[in-house]
Amino acid sequence: MDTQERRDAAEPAEAGAAEGVGEWEGAAVPRQPLWVEEPALRRRMPDPVRTAAVRAVLIMSLTMILAMVAFLTALAGSWLSFPMVLSGVASTVVATWSVLDVWVTRQVWNQRNGVVSMPSSSARQLRRERRRARRAARAAQREASRIRRGSADRRLSRA
């Protein structure tokens, strides 16, 4: 069947679909979309944290594979069993380090950029207060410079 023939055969079926109703054994069934977009429940992880997490997952999966190979070679009594057990111990240490790296990276990110997961975040409140203080300081500085300029002009005109 050619593409054009398929399109021609589908046109009568699309006439019913245009109304949003499909036919199935004589009953009208409303069509539902295949994909429904839902809002995310949690915010996306920051890039450095996500990178560390992906790296940790890859290292953990390789460690699990290595442990399985070490176990199977030990069961088989292969000479490869001893080196695999040693490398399994080493990779377990590396995997533990990588998981700690994710935790530390996340803590550093939160400390540097503030926790922005909730609107009532204390980091946002501190930033707002700092912004207000800076604006007030700039306004006071502008006002003081205006006063100085104004008094200097008056002195020159009176002299």
Side-chain angles (χ1 to χ4, degrees):
M1 186 179 246
D2 189 32
T3 305
Q4 187 60 36
E5 292 172 354
R6 275 191 237 125
R7 284 188 188 140
D8 293 339
E11 283 178 11
E14 288 177 3
E19 300 158 4
V21 177
E23 298 271 338
W24 183 65
E25 295 182 13
V29 179
R31 291 226 170 167
Q32 297 177 357
L34 293 175
W35 187 267
V36 177
E37 194 77 25
E38 293 180 2
L41 296 176
R42 296 187 337 173
R43 292 177 61 95
R44 181 174 155 168
M45 278 192 291
D47 286 340
V49 178
R50 189 173 47 247
T51 303
V54 168
R55 188 172 42 240
V57 166
L58 290 174
I59 291 172
M60 289 288 288
S61 63
L62 288 175
T63 301
M64 296 297 287
I65 291 170
L66 195 60
M68 184 59 71
V69 169
F71 177 72
L72 292 175
T73 53
L75 283 180
S78 172
W79 64 270
L80 199 57
S81 176
F82 182 68
M84 290 306 265
V85 168
L86 287 180
S87 61
V89 169
S91 69
T92 302
V93 171
V94 172
T96 305
W97 187 267
S98 69
V99 170
L100 284 174
D101 178 46
V102 173
W103 182 70
V104 168
T105 306
R106 184 174 162 269
Q107 294 299 324
V108 167
W109 177 267
N110 284 340
Q111 190 173 16
R112 285 185 184 164
N113 300 296
V115 181
V116 291
S117 59
M118 294 171 28
S120 61
S121 168
S122 59
R124 283 187 185 178
Q125 187 176 4
L126 288 174
R127 270 189 250 137
R128 271 192 219 113
E129 289 172 5
R130 278 189 233 128
R131 243 183 274 132
R132 284 184 193 135
R134 277 191 304 242
R135 285 182 191 144
R138 279 192 303 241
Q141 188 178 9
R142 275 192 304 250
E143 192 64 33
S145 68
R146 284 186 202 146
I147 292 171
R148 273 191 242 126
R149 259 188 277 134
S151 64
D153 291 343
R154 284 189 211 128
R155 282 188 200 144
L156 289 175
S157 63
R158 290 182 185 173

